[in-house]
Amino acid sequence: MNSKLDGTALISMVAPICDDADILESFVDELYGCLSTRYENFEIVLIDDGSRDGTSRVIDGLLKRFDGVRYLRLSRKFGLEIAIAAGFETAIGDYVVVMLPAVDPVARVPEMIESVRTSNGGLVVGQLDPARSEVPWLQSIAYRGFYWLCNSVLDLNLIAHTTYFIALDRALLNSLNQIKDKFRYLKTLTTFVGSKPVLFNYELAPRPGKALRRGFFESVNLGIDVVVSNSIRPLRIVSLLGLTVSGVNFLYFGYIALIALFKQDVAAGWVTLSTQIALGFFVLNIVLAVVSEYLGRVLVESKERPAYFVVEEKNSSVLIGNRENRRNVVSSTVETGTESVASA
């Protein structure tokens, strides 16, 4: 298969990094070699999500060795999704590929690009084989339950076993860049835009010495954020639950009134009373917990703060190929207070 695009097409590789100094040089070396032999125009955008190791020093060496490498360092750790969003906002390519340096296979990048180039929806999403997953069985059961809840109850339409190995075209990227939510989850954002993904089956290729696995409690926290930020159905569910319990309590009160009117000797029903109190407080606490999560999310979104801050930006020579044939060439960066925007 010939993966070389026409001379006007530009490939942007967006790679969020965090404390990846040990693998960064080998990753860029492999990626640059893969791209330079197949494409005339490309860039590698490295988004540093608050690294505390020697990443910055490694970057200085890479910028001297390779053309078309761009580096943005965020002021602190904002999280993987925000780092990817920062990459999207600075990428200038006609086709953009997101990959995690620690685990995603560089050799499959050309296939991803070719797949998104020929797709109708402009979106290709990597998917892993669950049979090869090394996730503990209890966590795997929790994952399946979460996806069932999202798809069957909350109508979020999430696809299981998908990853951040994603390719998209410029039209979809422009649509995603219009969304300014403080909490971002790429899988739901692409669904909201209306793009239908093409699934790309692949296997992880972990780099030596670098493990990337989300812990159980971190996954639980992410799941709560995904649900609260993308669906109001939990509010509707607890509202209906509250109304149902209220109706049961109303019928019970009627039962108490009838007993008081027509029965002479009424025994104290402490079991029934205790059950009613426990059930009532159980429902009340659930309602308060869900409402509190949504109120907290509303508070965060109501603060008109930027999603991230860029404190450093470095570019190597951006010219790859013939400048006269390039439509998208970064010649400078424009500082806009909190964010750096690439300009042609």
Side-chain angles (χ1 to χ4, degrees), residues 230-307:
N230 295 281
S231 177
I232 63 170
R233 290 201 174 186
L235 281 176
R236 181 61 54 82
I237 291 172
V238 297
S239 297
L240 294 176
L241 182 61
L243 289 174
T244 301
V245 174
S246 298
V248 172
N249 278 331
F250 180 78
L251 294 176
Y252 183 70
F253 292 148
Y255 168 76
I256 294 175
L258 291 175
I259 293 296
L261 289 174
F262 298 105
K263 188 174 179 62
Q264 298 297 326
D265 186 15
V266 180
W270 68 270
V271 175
T272 304
L273 181 62
S274 298
T275 302
Q276 179 200 12
I277 293 175
L279 181 62
F281 274 102
F282 172 74
V283 174
L284 178 61
N285 287 331
I286 289 179
V287 172
L288 289 176
V290 174
V291 172
S292 296
E293 285 291 333
Y294 276 90
L295 285 177
R297 187 64 58 194
V298 169
L299 177 62
V300 172
E301 292 293 341
S302 64
K303 296 179 180 180
E304 297 183 0
R305 299 175 179 176

Side-chain angles (χ1 to χ4, degrees), residues 47-50 72-78 82-83 86 89 182 304-313 335-340:
I47 309 298
D48 189 348
D49 188 28
L72 272 71
R73 182 166 67 89
L74 306 186
S75 60
R76 61 174 176 84
K77 185 177 179 61
F78 287 91
I82 296 299
E89 292 184 352
K182 300 298 185 298
E304 297 183 0
R305 299 175 179 176
Y308 62 90
F309 297 90
V310 176
V311 295
E312 183 180 18
E313 180 174 0
E335 297 292 338
T336 59
T338 58
E339 303 174 5
S340 298

